[in-house]
Amino acid sequence: MQREMTYEEKYKMMIETPVNKLIPRLAVPTIISMLITSIYNMADTFFVSQLSTSASGAVGVNFSLMAMIQAIGFTLGMGSGNFMSRMLGEKKDEKAQRACSTAVYTAVVFGLLLAVFGIANIDSLVRRLGATETIAPYAKDYGKYILIAAPYMTVSFVFNNHLRAQGNATLSMLGITAGGVLNVILDPVLIFGFKMGISGAAIATIFSQFVSFVILLVLVIRSGNVLKPHPRFFTMKWWVYKEILSAGMPTLGRQGLASVASVLLNVAASGFGDAAVAAMSIVTRIMMFINSALIGFGQGFQPVCGFNFGAKKYDRVLDAYYFCRKVAFVFLLVMAVIMFAVSTPIMRLFRREDAEVIRIGAKALKMQCVILPVQAFSIIGNMLVQSIGYSFRATLTAIGKQGLFFVPAILILPGMFDVLGLQLAQPVADILTFILTQIIVVMVARELKELNTESAELPKS
């Protein structure tokens, strides 16, 4: 069995291995993790869609709830994880340890608060999330189980990000993969075998997530080169939360607004009936599945970026960015061509019995595929700015897609163009996000080049 690397060996690997070899090595486990996480949602959507159009819409409504849970976990996890990468790069291990512990215990508290508040107000909650009269009963059956799981789901997201931030993406992959495979197996068994309907899909999801949580917890505790969330390092001092939120604000903006955007999309779609809600829900899952591979690849880039920025290796930060951007663009271009060609058959897989769902969804999917390749620049660019701790600019690029641009688009376009406006909202937001991100990334790249020049001119100690 291969021994674990020491901190010193890992540090050397992160700042010396060529980026075109290091990033794929770190990215393969994160790509698998992200794809498996996306399969959680895809499996639920696929199997529940076989029940009815209203049940399919309910999964879309509860995606907003899942996005809230993810917003908490990813904000604390990525915020503390990015800070931990930089501190480990600077060899300030105690600060990294404090950020680790504080993020984990804070996630537990916020998960509990969300669960208690959500369950107590489940009826009004699903309505506010965009459920119609016919979708609401299904949405409540699904949502109450998801809320029960909120405390350990938030912690799982934190653990995932901590493992990746410390260069242990393979460990993260193990926990996520086990849960994902289990979820795909349990969905049809509980939904159809035990005739539990949409409640079976929710139970399958939360049980699978619990298994992932337990595996991740064991891996964190037993691994010798991973920081542990020890209670004695938990602190409520402002500097810790300041650092976590500074690095995590872009994620909070992105994930929080993803939840808001999902709610607004459901509300806008509900005006055109259950078929529109179901169609846009299915398209969202398909696009998430494609983007999850890109985000996983980018998460292999982020610890490399954070480590090398902390170690003042600014040339390696830029090399890593350009390498990732090129790979991401080629991947999304290929996926866009394939998905455009098979858009109607894919929609038919989910709701063969409902021609309206297929018609609305296939057209929306084609429109999003046309713009898909430019997301390579937006997503990788945002990850660059976030990983080096440029909080304001990273937050700006993060909230662009789902906040600055999608929210106005989904509020305005359906009123002007009916269902076509619903289908156009995301592509319009993606184009504008690409423009904004490119402006910011060009500025950041120029600053990194200047920092690299200044660092090269300093006398060697």
Side-chain angles (χ1 to χ4, degrees), residues 131-397:
T132 63
E133 287 289 338
T134 47
I135 288 175
Y138 294 100
K140 286 193 295 183
D141 285 345
Y142 193 97
K144 64 186 179 184
Y145 290 106
I146 299 301
L147 286 165
I148 290 170
Y152 61 79
M153 285 172 66
T154 54
V155 177
S156 289
F157 291 129
V158 174
F159 281 155
N160 267 317
N161 284 283
H162 283 184
L163 289 168
R164 286 196 294 264
Q166 296 171 80
N168 290 280
T170 302
L171 297 183
S172 171
M173 179 192 70
L174 293 175
I176 293 297
T177 301
V181 171
L182 184 60
N183 189 57
V184 173
I185 294 170
L186 288 178
D187 260 338
V189 171
L190 297 182
I191 294 171
F192 305 113
F194 286 86
K195 302 187 185 304
M196 297 178 70
I198 195 168
S199 295
I203 292 170
T205 297
I206 68 169
F207 181 74
S208 302
Q209 290 273 11
F210 181 72
V211 170
S212 290
F213 163 72
V214 171
I215 292 172
L216 290 169
L217 178 62
V218 171
L219 290 172
V220 167
I221 292 173
R222 291 175 64 91
S223 299
N225 62 354
V226 173
L227 298 179
K228 322 294 183 201
H230 199 284
R232 71 187 177 91
F233 286 106
F234 172 77
T235 178
M236 297 189 68
K237 291 183 179 178
W238 168 241
W239 74 265
V240 180
Y241 284 107
K242 178 175 177 292
E243 293 293 350
I244 291 173
L245 291 175
S246 177
M249 280 303 291
T251 302
L252 179 61
R254 181 170 56 248
Q255 294 292 140
L257 284 168
S259 178
V260 173
S262 180
V263 172
L264 292 175
L265 177 61
N266 290 329
V267 171
S270 65
F272 303 103
D274 287 7
V277 177
M280 298 310 296
S281 170
I282 293 168
V283 171
T284 299
R285 295 307 177 285
I286 293 169
M287 297 307 294
M288 278 183 60
F289 185 76
I290 296 170
N291 278 322
S292 66
L294 174 59
I295 293 170
F297 182 71
Q299 287 176 345
F301 154 69
Q302 284 188 296
V304 177
C305 192
F307 258 85
N308 284 280
F309 186 82
K312 299 184 176 8
K313 301 279 187 179
Y314 307 114
D315 55 335
R316 279 176 60 81
V317 174
L318 286 170
D319 287 346
Y321 165 69
Y322 292 128
F323 169 73
C324 287
R325 189 180 69 178
K326 179 173 63 177
V327 172
F329 179 80
V330 173
F331 167 73
L332 289 184
L333 181 61
V334 171
M335 292 305 302
V337 172
I338 294 172
M339 297 305 297
F340 189 95
V342 300
S343 56
T344 299
I346 282 190
M347 291 302 301
R348 196 174 286 126
L349 275 176
F350 284 86
R351 282 303 295 158
R352 185 179 301 276
E353 299 84 359
D354 198 322
E356 189 67 0
V357 171
I358 297 168
R359 184 187 67 81
I360 294 171
K363 189 171 183 179
L365 185 55
K366 286 179 179 178
M367 289 180 177
Q368 293 193 33
C369 284
V370 170
I371 307 301
L372 184 61
V374 304
Q375 291 194 39
F377 295 84
S378 303
I379 294 174
I380 300 298
N382 173 248
M383 287 181 166
L384 165 70
V385 183
Q386 181 177 7
S387 297
I388 61 178
Y390 286 16
S391 180
F392 174 75
R393 282 176 282 187
T395 302
L396 197 59
T397 59

